[in-house]
């Protein structure tokens, strides 16, 4: 017997799934400690991305002024350090950095958050994705004002094709700077506080990535007053409209008592297609591999998308 999936049936099923999408926080992510893959990474105030075009994520430490090139993917990586590849920026203490293609030319650029209140600065890659050459670009367009200790992360949080900025500051909140420009010519406007996300204490560290494989961005923060030192918010909304709910099950297996986190990253260190978790809490480095994701709720966005594959 041949079963035919009609367009009508697909629409009905998709509609029923949409009716319950975003109503539950059901995802669980299992992390496995991988200390053997972490040696050589004394990293704080982290950024990550493929800076040399070899299809793996390299890690940058702004605290130590080091660039760590990833070698060995797929599989357990080894790390080759050298001096940081970015130019120094006048009148800005380097507090944090985030990599992303802000001008849609195919290579990674840099946004940094200065220690001084209250600015973000842009450093453009005028080289290539294989041989980066960085050039100081000045303060970002739009409204760069934030609270002190501004730390920025580039993510397309509304799935409109350009990169927004998510900022984590010392007021315990997370703020969105929406890109109201284009992928080629960004223009960031300071928006409101991201609802549902309040850090345990202090400014913390923040990273965004699709932890549970459902197609939208989840949020992880390192804060000094919670155990094990990290918190996670699952995105139970859609890629276009986020809705964050704190979900400790997204950190299953991360059970080391980590305090004073000063570096947090979600690079894919083993090149298996999902984000891994790298934490620096002076003087220690912790690496957890994202090994297995349990099925998310039946109304997940990922399930809906799968119907059309």
């Amino acid at each position: 017997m041949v079963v035919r999936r009609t367009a009508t049936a697909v629409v009905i099923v998709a509609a029923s799934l949409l009716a319950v999408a975003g109503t539950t926080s059901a995802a669980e992510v299992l992390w496995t400690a991988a200390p053997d893959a972490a040696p050589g990474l004394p990293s704080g105030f982290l950024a990550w991305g493929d800076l040399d075009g070899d299809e793996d994520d390299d890690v940058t430490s702004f605290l130590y002024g080091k660039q760590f090139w990833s070698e060995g993917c797929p599989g357990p990586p080894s790390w080759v350090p050298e001096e940081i590849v970015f130019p120094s920026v006048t009148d800005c203490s380097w507090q944090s950095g985030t990599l992303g293609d802000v001008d849609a030319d195919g290579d990674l650029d840099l946004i940094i958050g200065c220690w001084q209140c209250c600015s973000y600065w842009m450093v453009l890659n005028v080289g290539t994705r294989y041989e980066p050459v960085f050039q100081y670009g000045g303060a970002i367009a739009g409204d760069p004002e934030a609270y002190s200790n501004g730390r920025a992360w580039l993510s397309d949080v509304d799935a409109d094709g350009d990169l927004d900025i998510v900022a984590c500051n010392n007021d315990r909140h997370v703020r969105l700077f929406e890109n109201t420009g284009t992928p080629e010519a960004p223009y960031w406007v300071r928006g409101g506080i991201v609802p549902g996300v309040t850090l345990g204490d202090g400014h913390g560290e923040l990273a965004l990535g699709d932890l549970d494989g459902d197609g939208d961005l989840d949020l992880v923060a390192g804060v000094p007053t919670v155990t094990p030192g990290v918190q996670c918010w699952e995105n139970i909304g859609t890629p276009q409209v986020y809705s964050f709910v704190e979900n400790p099950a997204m950190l299953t297996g991360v059970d080391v008592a980590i305090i004073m986190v000063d570096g947090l990253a979600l690079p894919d260190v083993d090149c298996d297609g999902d984000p891994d978790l790298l934490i620096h809490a002076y003087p220690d480095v912790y690496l957890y591999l994202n090994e297995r994701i349990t099925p998310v709720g039946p109304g997940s966005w990922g399930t809906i998308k799968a119907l059309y594959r």
Side-chain angles (χ1 to χ4, degrees):
M1 181 179 67
V2 178
V3 177
R4 300 183 183 275
R5 177 182 291 175
T6 66
T8 301
V10 171
V11 170
I12 291 173
V13 174
S16 65
L17 289 172
L18 281 170
V20 297
T23 61
T24 60
S25 177
E28 179 181 12
V29 182
L30 175 63
W31 303 90
T32 301
D36 293 341
L41 281 175
S43 308
F45 304 154
L46 300 172
W48 69 96
D50 182 10
L51 281 173
D52 52 5
D54 63 351
E55 308 300 329
D56 55 32
D57 284 337
D58 309 297
V59 176
T60 301
S61 166
F62 292 93
L63 180 63
Y64 290 94
K66 292 287 187 180
Q67 180 68 46
F68 297 90
W69 301 103
S70 174
E71 304 289 347
C73 269
S78 59
W79 304 95
V80 180
E82 69 172 349
E83 293 302 313
I84 202 166
V85 299
F86 308 118
S88 60
V89 176
T90 305
D91 299 327
C92 177
S93 299
W94 287 52
Q95 177 68 8
S96 68
T98 178
L99 290 162
D101 186 2
V102 300
D103 52 6
D105 64 350
D107 55 39
L108 291 179
D109 309 294
L110 174 72
I111 298 292
I112 62 172
C114 295
W115 178 271
Q116 298 94 337
C117 184
C118 308
S119 59
Y120 299 116
W121 301 75
M122 184 158 56
V123 181
L124 291 175
N125 184 356
V126 297
T128 69
R129 67 181 295 253
Y130 305 100
E131 296 182 1
V133 177
F134 290 95
Q135 178 178 302
Y136 171 56
I140 66 172
D143 180 3
E145 183 180 356
Y147 298 100
S148 60
N149 303 332
R151 303 186 185 187
W153 290 263
L154 284 165
S155 297
D156 186 5
V157 298
D158 50 9
D160 63 351
D162 56 35
L163 292 175
D164 310 294
I165 293 176
V166 180
C168 171
N169 304 291
N170 65 354
D171 64 352
R172 301 177 62 207
H173 294 297
V174 175
R175 184 179 295 274
L176 174 66
F177 290 71
E178 183 181 359
N179 187 349
T180 61
T182 66
E184 296 79 14
Y187 190 90
W188 291 284
V189 175
R190 184 175 187 245
I193 298 297
V194 175
V197 180
T198 302
L199 305 184
D201 189 24
H203 49 72
E205 289 287 324
L206 184 68
L208 289 94
D210 185 6
L211 303 185
D212 53 4
D214 65 350
D216 54 38
L217 294 173
D218 307 297
L219 189 152
V220 180
V223 292
T225 59
V226 300
T227 300
V230 288
Q231 293 173 276
C232 185
W233 288 263
E234 180 186 356
N235 187 349
I236 61 171
T238 69
Q240 293 76 22
V241 182
Y242 60 79
S243 177
F244 291 110
V245 173
E246 188 172 3
N247 181 4
M250 299 277 279
L251 293 171
T252 301
V254 182
D255 54 3
V256 176
I258 303 170
I259 60 174
M260 299 306 293
V261 174
D262 60 14
L264 186 70
L266 293 171
D268 182 7
V269 300
D270 52 4
C271 299
D272 64 351
D274 55 36
D276 303 303
L277 178 61
L278 177 64
I279 304 170
H280 180 257
Y282 182 82
D284 299 311
V285 176
Y286 304 89
L287 178 62
Y288 292 89
L289 299 181
N290 186 341
E291 295 287 22
R292 178 62 183 168
I293 304 168
T294 61
V296 298
S300 77
W301 185 248
T303 303
I304 297 168
K305 291 192 301 183
L307 292 173
Y308 296 93
R309 291 177 181 171

